[in-house]
Amino acid sequence: MTTRTMRSRITLAGAALGLAIAGSVGGVATAAPASAAGQCVDYQYSVGGDGGCVANIQTLLNAFGPRIPGGVSNLEVDGQFGEQTRAAVVAFQTYWGMQVDGVVGAETWNILCGPQMGPGPIDWYPYDAARGSGCNV
């Protein structure tokens, strides 16, 4: 094997390793859409969903809870969209007069993303969870 062939093979092996580590051409790793920072609001969440976006939903629902008569219970923030989270979403959607389907989609995100109490900051509103979800607050 010539030196030139050996260098070419080493260069190709290095490039392949770089792509495997980076995950894409150009060396920029790509994240899964639902876990991408600031992008939760672009997706729908329902029973069976999990992760950081669901934990943010639970945190936001807990903040609104005491302000909804007979509504949202204090959810465990575990990042698991189970039946208790669904029931809290249904109560939230009912209170705000939106389509009641237990799914956190665009309409539900719109209300979750704002404290609805006028100019802020509002002391009870979890701004970190909202910003972490992609809310413009």
Side-chain angles (χ1 to χ4, degrees):
M1 186 178 318
T2 67
T3 305
R4 183 177 182 157
T5 304
M6 181 62 101
R7 265 193 244 140
S8 294
R9 287 184 178 179
I10 291 171
T11 301
L12 286 173
L17 178 62
L19 285 174
I21 291 170
S24 67
V25 177
V28 178
T30 57
S35 65
Q39 299 303 312
C40 301
V41 297
D42 296 331
Y43 297 92
Q44 293 185 353
Y45 297 87
S46 60
V47 172
D50 63 359
C53 293
V54 174
N56 288 342
I57 290 167
Q58 291 166 329
T59 299
L60 290 162
L61 288 168
N62 280 339
F64 278 94
R67 288 141 190 90
I68 298 175
V72 182
S73 62
N74 192 23
L75 295 170
E76 178 182 353
V77 179
D78 60 3
Q80 302 296 313
F81 200 122
E83 287 302 322
Q84 288 183 325
T85 301
R86 183 185 184 287
V89 171
V90 165
F92 183 83
Q93 291 171 329
T94 301
Y95 177 78
W96 288 101
M98 59 182 90
Q99 177 184 346
V100 178
D101 58 7
V103 175
V104 178
E107 186 179 22
T108 305
W109 274 117
N110 187 45
I111 303 297
L112 285 173
C113 282
Q116 314 300 323
M117 301 288 288
I122 306 301
D123 63 353
W124 57 266
Y125 188 72
Y127 288 94
D128 289 343
R131 288 183 187 112
S133 296
C135 298
N136 188 20
V137 292

